Amino acid sequence: MTAETKYRVIGTRPIRPDGVDKVTGRAVYGADVKLPRMAHAKILRSPHAHARILSIDTARAEAVPGVLAVITARDLPEASGVVEAGEGGAVNMRDASHNILAHGKVLYQGHAVAAVAATSPHIAAEAVRLIDVEYEVLPPVMNVRRAMEPDAPLLHEDLHTDTAGEKSEQPSNIASRHLAEEGDVEQGFAQAAVVIEREFETATVHQGYIEPHATVAEWRADGQLTIWTSTQGAFAVREQCAEILKHPQSEIRVIPTEIGGGFGGKINVYLEPVAAVLSRKTGRPIKITMDRAEVLTGTGPTPGSYIRVKMGADREGRITAAEAFLAYEAGAYPGSAIGAGCLCVFAPYKLKNVRIDGYDVVVNKPKSAAYRAPGATVAEFATETVVDEICRKLGMDPLDFRRLNSAVEGDWKPWGPPYARIGHLECVEAAMASGHWRSPLQKTASAPDGAFRRRGRGVASGYWMNWDGTSSCTGRLNPDGTVSLLEGSTDIGGTRASVAMQFAEEFGVDYAQVRPQVVDTDTIGYTDVTGGSRTTFGTGLAAVELARRMKAEIRDKLAPLWEVEPGAITWNAGVFSADGRQATVPEAAKLLAEHGQHVIVSVTAKGSNASGAFAVHIADVEVDPETGKVDVIRYTAVQDAGRAIHPAYVEGQMQGGVAQGIGWALHEGYWYDEAGRLRNASLLDYRMPTTLDVPNIECIIVEVPNPGHPYGVRGAGEVPIVPPPAAIANAIYDAVGVRLRRLPMTPDRVLEAILASEAEA
Amino acid sequence: MATALLSDKVAVSATVNGEEVDFLCEPRESLLEVLRDRLGLTGAKEGCNNGNCGACCVILDGRLVNSCCVLGVEVQGSTVTTVEGLGSPDGLTPLQQAFLEEAALQCGVCTPGFLVAAQALLDRIPHPTEAEIRWWLAGNLCRCTGYDKIIRAVQKAAGAASA
Amino acid sequence: MAVVHIPAPLRQLTGGESQVTVEGATLRQVVDALEAAHPGIRARLVEGDRLRPGLAVFVDNVQADAGLRTPVKHDSQIYLAPAIAGGTA
């Protein structure tokens, strides 16, 4: 369903430039970096969810042969102040520093307490166990609703609830409250023919990147600190390390290695400052990697939540009022994605009477970090299942409901300006026209053992707002007409290709003539993180601007050689012409080189109007009513990508997001015991989808161009994770007539619900 | 003291990617550690270190294994193939080429494990069905792609029609 | 006159009004004008000499990146919003 394009390069599917290295094992990821004299470090982590640190004795660890240094929070400077970490949101660097090495208190099981550097990782791991820490164990707070109660144990004695700049008198575990209101919800509900109010609970879920965090740091005698690390943003690492280490940014060089997945979880630093301090102490490069248990217990998962959604509609199916109460678990320190959750909870709909009340709450779990459309998935899980109930009550087709109530350009948003041009309506219509929606579903199927299964179909909408940010590109014209294109955006999903394609399109050359490289913080201008669905949009924007300026510079340098004014030279379809003379880019490059003329241009572009993206998903499930097991047997994802630069990579984002959403819906969740210890800190029991858990995922790309980008690009990476839990919950209802409102919807919970409904009947 | 250190380590000889190699390793080191840290073959990755993700897959004496669950000392006299041993200086295997053409990788960290596992499958079953492909690759986790394009790449390499 | 859209928690300071019209050529002047009309609101918007870190301000659909110095047109639409983590995949 892509719009007709007049492009040479955009819309094609070339092979990514880093592909060969990645299929031959040559690509260098963080843990692959090796330096001469490199030593290894391991981290000691708290076994307790909530405790005061009374003393730390490192003497026994230091005595182990091969141990080079041991550090604790005492070895980090006292952090202060608030730093914009490049995400558009303020990050409290004191919390970040205390999260990296615990200061006074440990606030979750897995909280880093000390670190040991040794000549081998095995010696470091042995020595870590010989550090003696005396704790005073405190009662843990493991649930958001408990944490909000006035008599709950406090994690921070100095944390007061902030409501739009006003602080509460008493300290609290509620870090902030966000409120958005329009119209009169009471009147709206009074006018409704149907009102549904439901409660939801979702478990903590991890981004699950296959590559654990890995860092190598080298602090040299002249004060120059070099960091190789797996990160979504080299500049974000530099900023955070400069603040935490109180070391000038100009003396820190961050070299981003290839990154094995991030999804938002590799923006905050964990290992880098620790490795840096150990390197300074030992005079050697230090490598630290996390193992999987450390990733699950010691990095930032996405918040668990408690959500209440109430919605009313009239007899024709028009929404008359909508209300949401959302409480997100920020983890040990404030800063969950509650704001984004509030923005997304009712995003697909045109609303007159609405109230959204959101809370950021600390609990004794790891400090949360962003996870692909942070805050949106659980919020829209709640709304999209309530919408499904309303449709059933009214006897209304769920896609008709969404078409009738769809938000469009100019409609209200909880904060900020109204919607710009958006594509929810177009996605709904594409879903209605899809082969999947039009094909009938057999409600009963037989299994090989003669038993039967029930099948059902569900739909859900999703929204994510996308971010623009700042990106830099540098282009160097080579004598053979190729262009070396330097950028600062780490390539997680094929953005070297999508950025090079935009450059090639604008510059009038073939894709193969562009050589993109991802470089370090000393080699490229400021670039915001690869995240927020911004890279193809924002770094592409910079690349397009770069192409325009390089063309202008070629023209300026060609003019004297052709003995004309620069203004007399025109460019069309890759060819410069003036006065009967013509040159393609390679021909111009050769001519310039022969005359000692060089073209190197740098651009730093700040985007605006990144513009939100909508999705509508259709899921067919098969439920075994005897075991509660749910299989997703067919899945179609419809999504507005604005303009698909490289359709295969847009599809890749859609399919990857859907798979994570399926995991979130059916299998994944942190399981804590009474003492606040994580019981499933391994990939055996933190169960992510395998090849057997997802079907082929059909992708329908809708293109409603974003006016804020020269090629109409909208961010595509995040919204696909939003609809799956609701689509699957709605499909389960269609199959077996039960509503699940807790995530994950594991077989035991599905079975419990089926048995309960059978008992009622 | 050199003698005391050396006595901690064991001398091992094996054939890795067609070459005779000799190395020293501590008994507690896994094959994965040996490949990455002693032999410089960093293609195999650590994702979980307990046999649950397949990022460390190699072929040991013709059998697909998770190298994190094999000790370095166990490969004495054995043959090991890693991702670096697929293909040749002349070019990529049909499987590697298919992964590129079908965009079957995003971050690429699981790719070496998938390539080794898929090659082991195609060596055994040259024209697998989709169900067979999914079953065989269920021990390899990917978090980026949702598996769809990986399955299509394996089918392409096998010469089967896309599903 | 620029129109300032007031988020729900601040409406108690504006007598319940969700939109307030003010004169001002910069955000600083707009904040001053708001404070004059509705005392107490400045403390919720400004910390020291800059916009409160938790606050994002949009002037005519674009996020204000010059802080209080951001220029405002005579018919600008100004939105006050929580500074949300930009969203990360």
Side-chain angles (χ1 to χ4, degrees):
Chain A
M1 256 254 211
T2 59
E4 260 193 19
T5 58
K6 302 173 286 266
Y7 301 115
R8 285 179 307 113
V9 182
I10 286 169
T12 62
R13 297 169 182 242
I15 289 179
R16 57 195 288 175
D18 53 326
V20 171
D21 277 353
K22 289 185 169 151
V23 297
T24 55
R26 272 201 275 286
V28 177
Y29 295 81
D32 303 333
V33 172
K34 281 193 185 66
L35 296 173
R37 299 184 66 242
M38 189 173 75
H40 303 262
K42 278 283 164 203
I43 291 182
L44 174 69
R45 297 180 181 276
S46 166
H48 304 295
H50 194 192
R52 248 182 275 282
I53 299 172
L54 299 176
S55 68
I56 305 178
D57 185 349
T58 60
R60 285 200 301 145
E62 288 176 64
V64 174
V67 166
L68 303 168
V70 183
I71 63 167
T72 66
R74 261 197 318 261
D75 295 279
L76 288 177
E78 180 63 34
S80 58
V82 170
V83 158
E84 308 273 344
E87 292 176 54
V91 175
N92 185 327
M93 293 315 292
R94 193 193 62 171
D95 289 347
S97 180
H98 294 177
N99 194 37
I100 283 159
L101 283 173
H103 192 275
K105 257 183 133 181
V106 289
L107 291 165
Y108 54 98
Q109 181 226 4
H111 198 163
V113 173
V116 176
T119 51
S120 90
H122 288 280
I123 293 173
E126 274 184 24
V128 148
R129 270 172 275 183
L130 298 176
I131 299 175
D132 299 308
V133 185
E134 219 188 316
Y135 293 105
E136 178 198 336
V137 180
L138 301 167
V141 182
M142 302 307 296
N143 173 274
V144 63
R145 290 218 272 174
R146 172 69 186 124
M148 292 173 82
E149 289 165 2
D151 66 338
L154 288 178
L155 272 71
H156 304 279
E157 303 291 330
D158 60 351
L159 180 64
H160 297 256
T161 308
D162 181 320
T163 305
E166 185 178 47
K167 292 240 197 273
S168 67
E169 265 189 54
Q170 295 301 319
S172 170
N173 289 322
I174 302 172
S176 62
R177 183 183 180 200
H178 306 263
L179 197 51
E181 230 174 324
E182 185 77 2
D184 182 340
V185 286
E186 294 314 321
Q187 191 179 71
F189 287 127
Q191 290 166 351
V194 173
V195 177
I196 302 281
E197 181 173 17
R198 299 289 181 223
E199 294 179 295
F200 300 84
E201 275 179 7
T202 70
T204 306
V205 163
H206 196 273
Q207 301 84 350
Y209 31 82
I210 303 298
E211 180 211 24
H213 297 250
T215 292
V216 176
E218 184 177 29
W219 195 308
R220 293 197 293 283
D222 61 359
Q224 299 297 312
L225 170 61
T226 307
I227 298 173
W228 293 258
T229 190
S230 168
T231 180
Q232 293 173 236
F235 286 89
V237 171
R238 191 178 75 166
E239 276 172 358
Q240 292 174 74
C241 286
E243 177 59 35
I244 291 169
L245 298 170
K246 299 282 190 240
H247 198 65
Q249 282 198 34
S250 57
E251 300 195 11
I252 302 175
R253 179 180 179 210
V254 179
I255 302 174
T257 57
E258 297 302 324
I259 168 176
F263 313 110
K266 288 185 178 161
I267 290 172
N268 300 328
V269 295
Y270 299 101
L271 301 176
E272 293 86 341
V274 175
V277 171
L278 284 169
S279 180
R280 189 177 59 196
K281 254 192 153 186
T282 61
R284 297 169 68 151
I286 298 289
K287 174 188 275 186
I288 317 184
T289 60
M290 290 196 192
D291 65 28
R292 181 55 55 178
E294 291 183 277
V295 172
L296 290 169
T297 58
T299 65
T302 203
S305 73
Y306 166 77
I307 298 172
R308 214 164 49 228
V309 165
K310 184 176 179 185
M311 192 179 267
D314 65 21
R315 226 164 291 281
E316 281 72 53
R318 220 169 286 272
I319 299 171
T320 59
E323 190 170 51
F325 174 100
L326 308 102
Y328 284 8
E329 292 176 350
Y333 301 93
S336 75
I338 184 62
C342 292
L343 258 185
C344 294
V345 66
F346 296 130
Y349 304 109
K350 185 189 287 285
L351 299 165
K352 275 199 327 271
N353 304 307
V354 52
R355 187 168 194 274
I356 300 168
D357 196 1
Y359 297 81
D360 184 41
V361 183
V362 295
V363 295
N364 289 113
K365 295 181 181 178
K367 177 184 186 340
S368 69
Y371 176 21
R372 204 167 199 160
T377 303
V378 297
E380 296 189 67
F381 166 64
T383 299
E384 294 298 291
T385 53
V386 166
V387 162
D388 201 63
E389 279 203 66
I390 289 175
C391 291
R392 294 275 174 176
K393 276 251 160 48
L394 292 173
M396 190 171 182
D397 176 295
L399 288 180
D400 279 339
F401 180 93
R402 286 168 174 82
R403 181 169 53 186
L404 179 66
N405 288 288
S406 179
V408 294
E409 184 172 7
D411 279 343
W412 178 89
K413 276 178 21 213
W415 298 296
Y419 279 120
R421 182 73 174 93
I422 48 174
H424 179 242
L425 193 54
E426 288 82 349
C427 285
V428 173
E429 287 168 349
M432 285 169 143
S434 70
H436 187 167
W437 188 247
R438 291 179 168 207
S439 58
L441 180 69
Q442 217 179 328
K443 294 307 271 292
T444 312
S446 55
D449 59 359
F452 68 93
R453 306 273 186 269
R454 292 210 204 276
R455 292 182 171 181
R457 178 169 292 171
V459 299
S461 293
Y463 171 75
W464 183 251
M465 57 243 195
N466 303 328
W467 181 45
D468 33 51
T470 299
S471 283
S472 299
C473 282
T474 296
R476 189 183 65 232
L477 182 66
N478 298 316
D480 61 359
T482 59
V483 176
S484 300
L485 176 62
L486 305 184
E487 54 183 290
S489 292
T490 53
D491 185 353
I492 313 182
T495 50
R496 275 184 184 93
S498 65
V499 170
M501 288 168 77
Q502 293 178 70
F503 179 88
E505 185 73 50
E506 188 69 29
F507 200 56
V509 298
D510 293 335
Y511 169 76
Q513 290 172 259
V514 184
R515 307 284 154 77
Q517 284 182 75
V518 175
V519 294
D520 63 77
T521 55
D522 277 358
T523 312
I524 192 68
Y526 185 85
T527 300
D528 275 315
V529 301
T530 296
S533 307
R534 67 168 298 265
T535 312
T536 296
F537 170 85
T539 305
L541 201 68
V544 168
E545 180 60 24
L546 176 70
R548 290 176 181 165
R549 291 206 211 163
M550 284 181 76
K551 279 187 293 191
E553 186 141 328
I554 293 173
R555 201 185 45 224
D556 290 349
K557 294 198 150 95
L558 206 51
L561 301 182
W562 280 359
E563 292 169 344
V564 296
E565 289 302 305
I569 300 179
T570 56
W571 182 92
N572 186 38
V575 179
F576 295 92
S577 2
D579 236 14
R581 255 185 285 221
Q582 279 196 337
T584 61
V585 167
E587 288 164 351
K590 184 160 181 279
L591 186 62
L592 291 178
E594 281 166 3
H595 287 82
Q597 293 296 317
H598 298 281
V599 175
I600 300 182
V601 179
S602 289
V603 163
T604 297
K606 186 178 195 308
S608 64
N609 302 318
S611 204
F614 281 92
V616 174
H617 290 190
I618 307 166
D620 289 350
V621 303
E622 188 175 275
V623 183
D624 182 341
E626 307 232 318
T627 65
K629 184 164 194 290
V630 177
D631 285 309
V632 182
I633 56 175
R634 188 172 179 186
Y635 204 99
T636 299
V638 179
Q639 182 173 322
D640 174 16
R643 174 88 60 206
I645 301 296
H646 192 309
Y649 287 119
V650 174
E651 289 162 0
Q653 292 301 311
M654 293 166 73
Q655 292 167 338
V658 165
Q660 287 180 313
I662 289 173
W664 201 328
L666 294 174
H667 317 297
E668 296 176 42
Y670 276 24
W671 298 97
Y672 284 97
D673 65 17
E674 298 287 304
R677 284 184 298 245
L678 186 63
R679 304 305 302 195
N680 61 335
S682 91
L683 293 184
L684 181 64
D685 296 314
Y686 182 81
R687 173 105 167 62
M688 308 201 301
T690 69
T691 51
L692 297 176
D693 297 309
V694 301
N696 279 341
I697 298 159
E698 186 184 343
C699 299
I700 297 175
I701 299 174
V702 166
E703 289 183 324
V704 176
N706 170 15
H709 184 277
Y711 294 122
V713 170
R714 283 178 206 275
E718 289 171 281
V719 69
I721 201 176
V722 179
I728 290 170
N730 293 338
I732 292 173
Y733 177 80
D734 192 47
V736 288
V738 297
R739 292 270 178 209
L740 282 103
R741 302 191 186 93
R742 264 193 314 163
L743 294 181
M745 299 178 287
T746 46
D748 57 308
R749 289 175 171 174
V750 174
L751 183 59
E752 196 183 334
I754 291 172
L755 294 173
S757 83
E758 282 173 5
E760 262 172 53
Chain B
M1 314 269 289
T3 328
L5 271 170
L6 282 171
S7 70
D8 287 340
K9 295 194 178 63
V10 175
V12 179
S13 299
T15 307
V16 178
N17 295 332
E19 272 181 41
E20 305 289 321
V21 297
D22 301 293
F23 57 86
L24 293 172
C25 72
E26 296 174 22
R28 61 182 166 181
E29 287 176 34
S30 66
L31 174 59
L32 178 63
E33 287 179 80
V34 165
L35 290 169
R36 291 177 53 78
D37 299 332
R38 298 204 182 268
L39 298 179
L41 296 167
T42 56
K45 308 295 181 197
E46 179 185 319
C48 69
N49 215 32
N50 51 22
N52 285 303
C53 76
C56 68
C57 272
V58 299
I59 298 175
L60 173 62
D61 293 331
R63 201 171 142 219
L64 183 67
V65 298
N66 287 316
S67 60
C68 68
C69 292
V70 176
L71 295 176
V73 295
E74 284 186 77
V75 306
Q76 169 61 38
S78 285
T79 304
V80 180
T81 306
T82 70
V83 67
E84 291 93 339
L86 305 176
S88 70
D90 300 326
L92 305 172
T93 63
L95 193 59
Q96 287 168 316
Q97 187 64 30
F99 264 62
L100 293 179
E101 289 167 4
E102 296 302 305
L105 59 140
Q106 288 179 33
C107 80
V109 83
C110 73
T111 304
F114 267 98
L115 287 170
V116 168
Q119 191 60 58
L121 166 64
L122 294 181
D123 289 347
R124 200 174 284 245
I125 306 174
H127 300 288
T129 63
E130 181 184 335
E132 284 172 322
I133 296 172
R134 285 186 179 273
W135 180 259
W136 188 273
L137 295 178
N140 289 76
L141 292 181
C142 174
R143 197 56 163 167
C144 295
T145 68
Y147 305 109
D148 187 294
K149 292 182 189 296
I150 291 176
I151 306 301
R152 290 179 202 276
V154 177
Q155 289 170 324
K156 186 176 199 176
S162 279
Chain C
M1 301 280 268
V3 176
V4 184
H5 297 260
I6 308 289
L10 299 183
R11 289 175 197 163
Q12 53 185 281
L13 291 168
T14 61
E17 292 301 318
S18 63
Q19 286 182 27
V20 176
T21 43
V22 290
E23 293 267 13
T26 63
L27 272 184
R28 189 189 300 280
Q29 290 177 12
V30 165
V31 170
D32 288 343
L34 280 172
E35 177 69 13
H38 305 286
I41 199 168
R42 188 213 303 277
R44 307 289 285 274
L45 304 175
V46 166
E47 193 180 86
D49 194 38
R50 59 173 196 157
L51 288 170
R52 190 172 56 81
L55 186 67
V57 180
F58 292 81
V59 179
D60 297 318
N61 299 359
V62 178
Q63 191 163 354
D65 54 4
L68 289 168
R69 291 191 306 284
T70 305
V72 170
K73 298 206 297 285
H74 70 96
D75 59 351
S76 280
Q77 297 287 323
I78 300 171
Y79 298 87
L80 307 171
I84 294 171
T88 43

